[in-house]
Structure formats: structure tokens, C-alpha cells
């Protein structure tokens, strides 16, 4: 079983001083943060390749140009299908308030901006919630909320 590599980004904006996170409702039925595959010849130790894949997936799925600058990176492993293993490096990016999201109609059914509690309970897998909790703590420290 070959491990596939993906870059993902949790995008947030400040709403009345608190972070709200962008999730997309993929056509496969799950709500998730934007993530996408690395090139097949990618080096799993090269974080820049993961960042590029994360930024490209954000653009492809939401039409947002994000630039990952914050020093946050967590790994997440999941198995979407039997015999299929994915390793995702998750990053964080902030966008300005009231940005216009135009999701890809081919891949995204819907999208939404969620506060922590609502986003946290939207994730189906425990490991996604664990990484998201770490993201929220990081973002709140960045914003001086904790």
C-alpha cells in the first residue's frame, strides 16, 4: 500500500475579533478543510511541496489565494478507502474578513464559515478534530485571545 501525500490548509478570518474557519462540503458528502495531493514524485520531507499543494487546493476548491505564512504544521493520517493511506500536512492561513468564496461546482456542494465549536463538531474523524483543536489554540494565541 503506497502512502499518498496531501497538503491541507485551515483558513480562518476574524469575525468580531474571533476566528471563524472555512470548511467545504465536498461532493463525497464530507465537510472538511481544503486539501489536495502532492505531485507523485514529491519528497515527503519537503514542507514547501506540502504548502504548495495546500495553497493550490484552496485556490481550486474555493478560488481563494492564500499564502501560508504562520509557523504551524501538523500531520494527519487517514484511510479514505480500504488499502488507501493518506498523509496530510496541515497548515493555517488567515484571510481578510468578508472575502468572497466561489467554490468549485465540480468538487464542492457548499461551504461555510464556522466558529470553533460548530466546526469542531462538523468533523467526522477524531484525528481531524484533534488537529483542528490544535489549530484553534494556535490561532487564538496568535490573536491574543488566550
Amino acid at each position: 500500500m503506497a502512502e499518498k501525500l496531501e497538503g491541507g490548509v485551515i483558513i480562518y478570518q476574524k469575525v468580531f475579533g474571533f476566528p471563524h474557519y472555512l470548511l467545504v462540503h465536498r461532493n463525497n458528502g464530507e465537510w472538511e478543510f481544503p486539501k489536495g495531493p502532492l505531485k507523485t514524485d514529491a519528497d515527503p520531507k519537503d514542507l514547501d511541496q506540502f504548502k504548495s499543494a495546500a495553497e493550490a487546493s484552496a485556490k481550486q476548491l474555493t478560488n481563494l489565494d492564500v499564502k501560508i505564512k504562520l509557523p504551524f504544521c501538523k500531520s494527519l493520517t487517514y484511510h479514505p478507502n480500504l488499502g488507501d493511506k493518506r498523509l496530510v500536512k496541515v497548515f493555517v492561513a488567515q484571510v481578510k474578513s468578508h472575502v468572497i468564496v466561489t467554490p468549485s461546482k465540480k468538487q464542492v456542494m457548499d461551504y461555510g464559515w464556522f466558529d470553533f465549536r460548530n466546526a469542531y463538531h462538523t468533523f467526522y474523524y477524531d484525528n481531524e478534530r484533534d488537529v483542528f483543536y490544535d489549530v484553534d489554540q494556535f490561532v487564538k494565541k496568535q490573536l491574543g485571545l488566550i
Side-chain angles (χ1 to χ4, degrees):
M1 162 174 61
E3 183 175 64
K4 295 180 182 173
L5 307 175
E6 296 182 337
V9 59
I10 297 180
I11 301 167
Y12 78 95
Q13 66 176 325
K14 288 192 316 185
V15 178
F16 300 113
F18 293 94
H20 280 67
Y21 300 95
L22 178 64
L23 299 179
V24 293
H25 190 190
R26 298 290 296 262
N27 290 342
N28 65 7
E30 293 182 18
W31 283 89
E32 59 186 33
F33 52 87
K35 60 181 176 273
L38 273 68
K39 295 176 184 172
T40 53
D41 61 344
D43 178 357
K45 296 179 183 169
D46 185 351
L47 279 183
D48 287 336
Q49 292 182 13
F50 283 94
K51 284 182 182 179
S52 294
E55 292 168 348
S57 69
K59 180 68 175 176
Q60 180 182 14
L61 296 175
T62 68
N63 203 32
L64 290 178
D65 290 312
V66 300
K67 194 72 181 154
I68 296 167
K69 297 179 184 174
L70 299 174
F72 180 94
C73 180
K74 291 278 183 171
S75 294
L76 169 67
T77 302
Y78 72 104
H79 303 267
N81 303 305
L82 186 62
D84 188 8
K85 183 178 180 184
R86 308 281 172 94
L87 169 67
V88 183
K89 298 283 185 180
V90 180
F91 303 94
V92 177
Q94 181 180 9
V95 294
K96 294 179 180 179
S97 296
H98 309 296
V99 295
I100 297 173
V101 177
T102 51
S104 164
K105 292 179 181 171
K106 292 180 183 178
Q107 299 179 52
V108 176
M109 291 172 31
D110 199 4
Y111 74 94
W113 291 98
F114 298 85
D115 63 12
F116 170 76
R117 185 174 65 66
N118 288 312
Y120 183 85
H121 293 292
T122 301
F123 290 113
Y124 184 76
Y125 299 104
D126 288 339
N127 58 353
E128 286 180 314
R129 284 192 290 271
D130 293 343
V131 169
F132 183 66
Y133 177 83
D134 292 343
V135 166
D136 185 63
Q137 293 299 295
F138 174 81
V139 167
K140 286 178 177 171
K141 283 180 187 172
Q142 293 286 312
L143 296 176
L145 298 173
I146 56 173

